[in-house]
Amino acid sequence: MKIEYDEDTCIGMFQCVAEWEGFEKDKSKGKAILNDSEELEDGVFVREVPEDAELDAKFAARTCPVDAIKIYDDDGEQLIP
């Protein structure tokens, strides 16, 4: 499973941080940070989700009020949102 995070869309509610340790707060920017990610394109970050963290990552994506987080399965199909 893969997670994609759009930093430009993020409004800094940090609900994802509360749901999964893969995210942390960047108070200087007022945005979340997707740890251990690569920048896919300008402001869009992606990383693989460990199997034992899949449920938490899905909750993080579902709690984002602006859909800045997308979850893809191993075949590339978008699961959330």
Side-chain angles (χ1 to χ4, degrees), residues 6 12 20 25 28 38 46-47 62 69 80-81:
D6 186 338
W20 183 40
K25 293 180 183 180
S28 66
E38 295 180 20
V46 67
R47 70 170 273 191
R62 286 188 181 112
I69 305 167
I80 301 170

Side-chain angles (χ1 to χ4, degrees), residues 53-69:
E54 288 182 357
L55 187 60
D56 291 340
K58 287 177 181 178
F59 277 126
R62 286 188 181 112
T63 61
C64 181
V66 293
D67 294 334
I69 305 167

